Amino acid sequence: MAESAAASTQELERAALDSLAAAKSETELEDWRIAYLGRRGELSVRLRSVGSLPAEQRREAGASLNRLKSRLTTAFDEAVQTASQSGRETAPLDAIDITLPGRRSKLGGLHPSEMMMREILEVFNDMGFQTVEGPIVELEKYNFDMLNVPPDHPARDLQDTLWIDRKSRDKVLLRTQTSPMQIRTMEKQKPPVRIVSPGLCFRHEATDATHEWQFHQVEGLAVDEGVTMSDLKGTLYEFTRRIFGTQRKIRFRCDYFPFVEPGVDVSVDWNGRWVEIMGAGMVHPKVLEGVGYDSSKYTGFAFGMGPERIAMLRYNIEDIRHFFSNDLRFLSQF
Ligand code: DAH
């Protein structure tokens, strides 16, 4: 009796393994599992019937059925794994030529505007000016009013503005210049002040070779007791020497900007032509008073320049629109 039980266990194992080998799909495998290992499968039925065997056979029969169960479980797990692997596509070995050189990924670089700006900032940092940055989305009062440009002032027409919100009490715009950083800085600190402030500006403008609706500026401001026009000239001469070399001719000319008095424009000689690179001047007393500075005690100078304009002169770039056209043929030259 014990022998025939053993023989039938072997038969069961062979039959189970044969039909497992034949099961290929997920459903066939699952059917197999139910038939052999399931709660009402072949093995469970036999295990349950062990109890009705004569007492001296129970132990051995139970143990051998349990060993079979664990072998079949292992075989089933392996079959499932093999099936899931063969389902995946594998590339034939010769599809990869490992002797080919790898593809080099291109490194990016700094944008020419950014490069120029950093160079400009460095010159002023060396002279003791600290870099500060401010918001691109700006309040009207900082961009215009507190810079001595009241609402109906004709100077507003010079800077066609992109408005974000014209209805709220504090009107919001895209800054047309970095000059608002003069006000924001002075509101926060007492003299002496020496700052430069770089960043993007926007104007609602028809574009041409020297005008873009988006451009950078670097603003500068120095306020202290006894600051004079000669400090302005000395500082800006030193700046142009560092950027354009000692041989380049520089011209200062009277100009009008509402927040300075007197105001100047600064031009550099470019192949016999004067090209304006920045506006500057002595900070208007109204601007100083507006932030609570005593204008009988403090004076200052301010300047604002366009890094794109300066880069154009430096690198002979004929059209400012190249800077923001994202053309790699242009950008990768820097
Ligand atoms: N913000 C002026 C502009 O965009 C440039 C400028 C001129 C800035 C004179 C200054 C300044 O600080 O003193 O046209």
Side-chain angles (χ1 to χ4, degrees), residues 19-287:
S19 81
L20 181 60
K24 292 278 173 259
S25 69
E26 226 172 274
T27 44
E28 283 169 348
L29 283 166
E30 181 59 9
D31 288 346
W32 183 93
R33 189 190 65 78
I34 293 166
Y36 288 97
L37 300 172
R39 224 158 24 90
R40 286 196 223 129
E42 197 78 14
L43 261 174
S44 305
V45 171
R46 291 201 190 194
L47 273 165
R48 269 195 295 275
S49 67
V50 165
S52 59
L53 287 175
E56 68 276 15
Q57 291 177 15
R58 275 183 215 154
R59 202 182 155 84
E60 176 52 31
S64 105
L65 282 169
N66 273 321
R67 283 195 297 273
L68 176 59
K69 186 175 184 180
S70 94
R71 285 199 298 278
L72 289 184
T73 305
T74 308
F76 174 74
D77 289 344
E78 280 169 10
V80 168
Q81 191 132 50
T82 313
S84 82
Q85 270 168 6
S86 68
R88 256 177 249 141
E89 291 261 338
T90 44
L93 266 185
D94 59 3
I96 303 166
D97 181 351
I98 57 165
T99 66
L100 278 176
R103 273 189 214 121
R104 202 179 282 277
S105 51
K106 282 196 186 131
L107 274 185
L110 289 179
H111 188 277
S113 299
E114 181 64 31
M115 273 171 46
M116 196 69 238
M117 259 190 317
R118 290 190 186 188
E119 205 179 321
I120 292 167
L121 294 173
E122 195 183 318
V123 172
F124 287 106
N125 291 161
D126 285 352
M127 292 193 266
F129 288 74
Q130 201 181 345
T131 302
V132 296
E133 285 186 276
I136 290 169
V137 178
E138 184 54 285
L139 297 175
E140 178 190 40
K141 68 168 181 176
Y142 290 125
N143 195 84
F144 288 126
D145 302 51
M146 294 181 77
L147 287 162
N148 194 29
V149 190
D152 301 319
H153 199 285
R156 290 210 179 188
D157 301 339
L158 298 173
Q159 300 186 3
D160 235 337
T161 305
L162 289 158
W163 293 93
I164 301 284
D165 180 359
R166 251 190 136 150
K167 291 201 197 79
S168 59
R169 199 159 53 87
D170 284 333
K171 292 188 192 125
V172 184
L173 45 73
L174 292 182
R175 68 179 175 193
T176 60
Q177 51 186 350
T178 44
S179 307
M181 282 311 289
Q182 293 186 30
I183 309 297
R184 284 182 176 274
T185 304
M186 290 190 286
E187 268 193 346
K188 270 203 272 184
Q189 82 183 73
K190 295 263 157 284
V193 170
R194 258 191 287 175
I195 55 113
V196 272
S197 190
L200 266 180
C201 305
F202 300 85
R203 289 183 198 177
H204 184 230
E205 254 184 312
T207 61
D208 62 29
T210 52
H211 293 91
E212 250 294 14
W213 56 268
Q214 166 186 319
F215 52 93
H216 291 90
Q217 283 193 347
V218 176
E219 191 76 17
L221 174 71
V223 183
D224 202 351
E225 283 182 58
V227 174
T228 68
M229 186 85 181
S230 64
D231 295 312
L232 177 158
K233 281 188 90 175
T235 305
L236 297 181
Y237 266 129
E238 175 59 15
F239 167 74
T240 53
R241 271 197 291 272
R242 288 268 306 260
I243 297 290
F244 294 104
T246 51
Q247 300 306 308
R248 190 63 64 89
K249 282 194 201 134
I250 309 298
R251 182 185 72 181
F252 285 78
R253 226 174 30 165
C254 284
D255 202 346
Y256 169 75
F257 299 98
F259 34 90
V260 285
E261 178 60 34
V264 296
D265 77 49
V266 182
S267 302
V268 298
D269 174 53
W270 192 255
N271 305 324
R273 229 177 87 220
W274 290 111
V275 180
E276 185 186 341
I277 57 161
M278 71 174 112
M282 299 306 291
V283 181
H284 199 292
K286 273 195 186 165
V287 172

